[in-house]
Amino acid sequence: MKTGSSAFRLGFPLGFSCGNLRTSGYDVSSSAIFAAMSSPPSAARKALIDTAVKALKASGEWDRLEVLYVLCGADSQASRLNWKAPASYAATVAGTVAFVADRGFTPDGVAGSYLATGWATGSNASVISQNDWCVSLWSGSTTVASSRYDWGTLGTDADNMVRMRLTGDTGSFRLNSGTSITQPTSVTDTTGLWTWDRSSPSDVNVRRNGSQLSGPHSATSKAHTTEPLIIGSDDGNLSTLRQLRLFAIGRSRSTVQEAAFYSAMLAYMSGVG
């Protein structure tokens, strides 16, 4: 039997070269996110997700995250996935929470309406610690000042919660603290990325859209809670009326790290319109 050209020996047609091979180029974490979606994402959606994942990894923020919910996907199922571990801790809907593709989830303002993560800082954390963590939430809308809760815990714990805009246009929050911190800067526009960050009992900060908003504040430390965090409410309290586009928990960030996280997620938000 004649052997012929190497191309034929390999079973490829003449003129084929290794340069003709193509790979997806997607990050392995991006591919895991795609695989967890019930409806396969479009090429454009894949590109947006992959760009965000690669940007977070390039800045070092990916490995500092515990959970990452990008709530404004193509459909409700895809939008409730935990990007950090797509097979674990998918958010579930409780009560009445409306969903709009590419925009996110909006609770109806009634107690008992929220997204449940099933994830607790005191039971499931692997990278954060009592005085080294932050919570980020991207708001897609501005609502009138009220005492409604934007995130909290499912249970009796009262040491972790946020109310972004109270009467007087200031905010109030607790991050492993038995007492509330008042965010004194007046804010009437609550859209964008908000982060509540704790790096020590005397260094608790609020940031918005990658920049410092208020702090450092001081607050005594409480241990991490074993009660799961919920998005859009605090157990037994009125839920927010805000549109929720992202929720993330990770290690405390410097202002440079916060700007990098914001930049990565802003590219995704801009991409979905």
Side-chain angles (χ1 to χ4, degrees), residues 14-61:
L14 285 170
F16 183 92
S17 70
C18 290
N20 296 122
L21 289 171
R22 293 290 182 267
T23 59
S24 70
Y26 295 128
D27 186 272
V28 62
S29 297
S30 302
S31 296
I33 296 168
F34 307 155
M37 295 180 175
S38 297
S39 298
S42 67
R45 180 79 56 176
K46 286 182 176 180
L48 285 174
I49 294 170
D50 191 57
T51 297
V53 169
K54 287 177 177 176
L56 290 171
K57 289 192 174 186
S59 68
E61 285 307 296

Side-chain angles (χ1 to χ4, degrees), residues 4 18 49 101 139 152 156 254 259 267 272:
C18 290
I49 294 170
S139 170
T156 58
S254 67
V272 298

Side-chain angles (χ1 to χ4, degrees), residues 9 19 66 103 114 140 155 261:
R9 286 200 307 272
E66 292 278 8
R103 294 296 176 267
Y114 51 81
F261 181 76

Side-chain angles (χ1 to χ4, degrees), residues 168-202:
D169 298 326
T170 60
S172 176
F173 69 99
R174 297 184 183 192
L175 208 61
N176 279 4
S177 174
T179 57
S180 297
I181 296 174
T182 298
Q183 184 278 107
T185 305
S186 179
V187 176
T188 56
D189 179 5
T190 57
T191 58
L193 178 70
W194 288 68
T195 295
W196 299 269
D197 189 286
R198 184 183 187 102
S199 61
S200 80
S202 59

Side-chain angles (χ1 to χ4, degrees), residues 70 122 142 151 201 205:
V70 180
T142 289
W151 65 263
N205 296 276

